[in-house]
């Protein structure tokens, strides 16, 4: 995390404001502007934490705030401790503590051993802009609270950031969901992270999600979520990345294509390759289409790269998909409230029927991909090579990047797709 102080701006400041609110040291507007109120709240937190109350958030303060970034704290058992007493001390539920520590017998707590205590708020925020640090914290927090899920990395971005994966369930039916191939469509990342949290919470409490028993889905399917294919680009668009060599190169690329506002118009990875034009599904046709538009070099959007899978992120997605071998995929994008379901003349079994179900659930229309965008996408390649149902979900309406205030409506419309996607094949 960056060093933050008066005058700092951006998603890291929003994350700091969120953590201070969660910790009880502020009722701050999460506006991403480090002003006097944020400074005063931070000073109070630092004093309580035994730090120098200088109002500057550096390494030690970030470390002290970590429980409120991730949503859990690790404590060592002292004489007289009990799960019930710990839950009362931290204002959480006994059920949450038991869920987070399935291998520890509550009646036989070992002095000096460590236990995880979930804090009394949801891990995944849905009212602040996203950045790669926040994604990392969400993944860590979900894993700590729900040890029945598996987390890992399918690869690294161009800048070396992890491409996280979250796996929920142990069934034979394998489905894969991904978001944010395009940087300025980052609102799809909290959609998938929130679904992972809601599904895990429902499963832990033997409850339902979208009217379906979570335990039945858990046992029938294995759901793999890739919440952010393009973390570098997300950081650029939301302002978490605003200096350094990669930033300067992106800015220079953008100057060659002035029709794209910088950085809000950036869809590509940080090197200027459009990740959803990278897959070996008529890539040459995609190149021909985009070159005809004058996109012949690294650009904020629509540059197909030097060849299929030439970008680290798309190559990681290709390798992951080949290994995971899903029966169905959902690729999340934004703009149009549309479901794209076909590639060329391929029509996998039940794919039309499933698309109509998704349409009924969400209210989104079902359409064929326009010719100009109908090649070299992740969904295109999956349908071509696996001959199984694959869908591009274009969520929301407006101008990219959609504001986080659009999240509730987008999530409401897509919860059913995400739930039923795990059981329709």
């Amino acid at each position: 995390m960056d060093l933050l102080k008066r005058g700092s701006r951006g998603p890291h400041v929003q994350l700091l404001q969120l953590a201070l609110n969660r910790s009880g040291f502020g009722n701050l507007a999460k506006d991403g502007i480090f002003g006097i109120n944020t400074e005063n709240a931070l000073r109070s937190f630092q004093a309580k934490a035994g730090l120098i109350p200088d109002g500057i958030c550096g390494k030690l303060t970030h470390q002290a705030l970590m429980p409120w970034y991730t949503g859990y704290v690790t404590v060592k058992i002292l004489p007289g401790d009990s799960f019930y007493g710990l839950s009362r001390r931290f204002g959480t539920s006994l059920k949450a503590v038991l869920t987070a520590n399935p291998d520890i017998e509550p009646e036989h707590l070992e002095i000096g051993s460590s236990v995880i205590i979930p804090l009394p708020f949801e891990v995944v925020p849905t009212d602040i802009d996203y950045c790669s640090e926040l994604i990392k914290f969400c993944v860590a927090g979900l894993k700590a609270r729900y040890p029945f899920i598996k987390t890992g990395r399918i690869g690294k971005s161009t800048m070396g950031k992890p491409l996280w994966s979250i796996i929920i369930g142990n069934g034979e039916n394998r489905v894969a969901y991904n978001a944010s191939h395009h940087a300025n469509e980052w609102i799809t990342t909290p959609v998938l992270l929130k679904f992972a949290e809601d599904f895990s919470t429902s499963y832990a409490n033997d409850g339902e999600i979208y009217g379906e028993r979570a335990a039945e889905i858990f046992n029938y399917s294995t759901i793999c979520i890739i919440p952010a294919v393009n973390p570098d680009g997300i950081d650029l668009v939301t302002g978490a990345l605003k200096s350094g060599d990669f930033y300067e190169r992106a800015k220079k690329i953008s100057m060659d294509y002035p029709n794209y506002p910088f950085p809000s118009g950036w869809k590509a990875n940080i090197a200027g390759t459009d990740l959803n034009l990278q897959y070996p599904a008529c890539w040459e046709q995609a190149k021909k289409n985009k070159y005809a538009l004058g996109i012949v070099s690294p650009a904020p959007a629509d540059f197909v790269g030097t060849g299929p899978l030439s970008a680290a992120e798309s190559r990681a997605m290709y390798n992951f998909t080949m290994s995971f071998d899903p029966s169905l995929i959902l690729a999340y994008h934004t703009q149009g409230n549309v479901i794209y379901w076909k590639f060329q003349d391929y029509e996998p079994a039940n794919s039309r029927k499933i698309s109509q179900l998704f349409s009924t659930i969400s209210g989104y229309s079902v359409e064929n991909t326009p010719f100009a965008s109908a090649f070299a996408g992740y969904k295109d390649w999956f349908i071509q090579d696996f001959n199984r149902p694959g869908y591009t979900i274009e969520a929301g309406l407006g101008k990219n990047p959609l504001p986080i205030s659009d999240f509730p409506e987008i999530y409401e419309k897509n919860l059913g797709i995400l739930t039923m996607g795990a059981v329709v094949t």
Side-chain angles (χ1 to χ4, degrees), residues 71 82 87 92 111 181 196 206 229 250 286 304 318 397:
S82 67
S87 68
T92 192
I111 305 302
H181 267 83
D206 195 25
V229 179
V304 299
Y318 175 92
L397 288 171

Side-chain angles (χ1 to χ4, degrees), residues 103-147:
D103 297 327
I104 298 178
E105 296 183 21
E107 298 82 7
H108 301 94
L109 297 182
E110 183 178 343
I111 305 302
S113 63
S114 295
V115 298
I116 291 171
I117 308 297
L119 297 177
F121 51 82
E122 295 179 340
V123 170
V124 179
T126 60
D127 58 355
I128 63 174
D129 294 347
Y130 266 62
C131 59
S132 58
E133 284 289 328
L134 176 52
I135 296 166
K136 177 180 72 174
F137 295 149
C138 289
V139 172
L142 292 175
K143 174 61 177 175
R145 289 189 178 207
Y146 304 110

Side-chain angles (χ1 to χ4, degrees), residues 71-394:
Y72 74 96
V73 62
T74 302
V75 302
K76 289 191 178 296
I77 296 297
L78 300 175
D81 277 344
S82 67
F83 274 1
Y84 176 74
L86 289 170
S87 68
R88 291 290 298 273
R89 185 196 310 173
F90 288 95
T92 192
S93 70
L94 177 59
K95 173 64 176 176
V97 177
L98 291 169
T99 298
N101 300 277
D103 297 327
I104 298 178
E105 296 183 21
E107 298 82 7
H108 301 94
L109 297 182
E110 183 178 343
I111 305 302
S113 63
S114 295
V115 298
I116 291 171
I117 308 297
L119 297 177
F121 51 82
E122 295 179 340
V123 170
V124 179
T126 60
D127 58 355
I128 63 174
D129 294 347
Y130 266 62
C131 59
S132 58
E133 284 289 328
L134 176 52
I135 296 166
K136 177 180 72 174
F137 295 149
C138 289
V139 172
L142 292 175
K143 174 61 177 175
R145 289 189 178 207
Y146 304 110
F148 51 80
I149 71 175
K150 299 174 184 176
T151 61
R153 309 176 186 191
I154 67 164
K156 294 182 179 180
S157 71
T158 298
M159 291 180 65
K161 295 184 177 76
L163 304 182
W164 297 105
S165 63
I166 302 170
I167 297 178
I168 310 172
N170 58 19
E172 294 184 4
N173 181 52
R174 301 161 77 85
V175 298
Y177 305 159
N178 68 77
S180 296
H181 267 83
H182 289 149
N184 64 356
E185 300 172 8
W186 62 262
I187 198 171
T188 58
T189 287
V191 168
L192 293 195
L193 288 170
K194 187 59 181 169
F195 173 72
E197 180 166 31
D198 286 351
F199 184 91
S200 298
T201 302
S202 297
Y203 175 73
N205 293 304
D206 195 25
E208 295 184 348
I209 185 165
Y210 198 73
E212 302 289 326
R213 283 201 65 233
E216 292 183 3
I217 299 174
F218 190 96
N219 292 325
Y220 177 74
S221 293
T222 297
I223 306 169
C224 185
I225 293 170
I226 312 298
V229 179
N230 188 3
D232 303 343
I234 291 174
D235 282 351
L236 179 66
V237 169
T238 61
L241 176 67
K242 47 195 171 187
S243 63
D245 290 345
F246 283 103
Y247 175 85
E248 293 300 329
R249 289 173 199 158
K251 189 174 183 180
K252 184 176 180 180
I253 288 170
S254 190
M255 291 173 65
D256 292 334
Y257 294 92
N259 290 335
Y260 296 95
F262 183 80
S264 64
W266 195 275
K267 294 172 65 177
N269 75 351
I270 199 64
T273 296
D274 191 316
L275 297 177
N276 206 42
L277 293 171
Q278 272 277 285
Y279 295 92
C282 298
W283 180 85
E284 290 291 345
Q285 183 63 57
K287 179 180 178 180
K288 181 179 179 180
N289 290 353
K290 301 307 180 183
Y291 272 47
L293 297 175
I295 312 296
V296 299
S297 63
D302 293 336
F303 178 58
V304 299
T306 57
L309 308 178
S310 57
E313 298 88 347
S314 54
R315 192 162 58 251
M317 281 297 299
Y318 175 92
N319 291 334
F320 152 73
T321 307
M322 293 295 292
S323 175
F324 190 68
D325 193 28
S327 63
L328 173 147
I329 63 95
L330 301 177
Y332 266 86
H333 292 256
T334 57
Q335 285 310 317
N337 288 345
V338 173
I339 300 168
Y340 294 126
W341 69 288
K342 284 190 73 175
F343 175 62
Q344 301 287 75
D345 293 328
Y346 294 91
E347 187 171 328
N350 295 319
S351 58
R352 183 190 296 268
K353 180 179 178 181
I354 293 169
S355 70
Q356 293 298 332
L357 171 64
F358 288 167
S359 176
T360 300
I361 288 171
S362 63
Y364 290 178
S365 61
V366 176
E367 299 180 12
N368 292 332
T369 311
F371 181 83
S373 304
F375 307 98
Y378 175 77
K379 175 267 294 178
D380 306 330
W381 163 71
F382 179 79
I383 292 174
Q384 170 191 273
D385 279 24
F386 287 79
N387 196 29
R388 297 170 187 167
Y391 304 93
T392 296
I393 313 294
E394 296 279 0

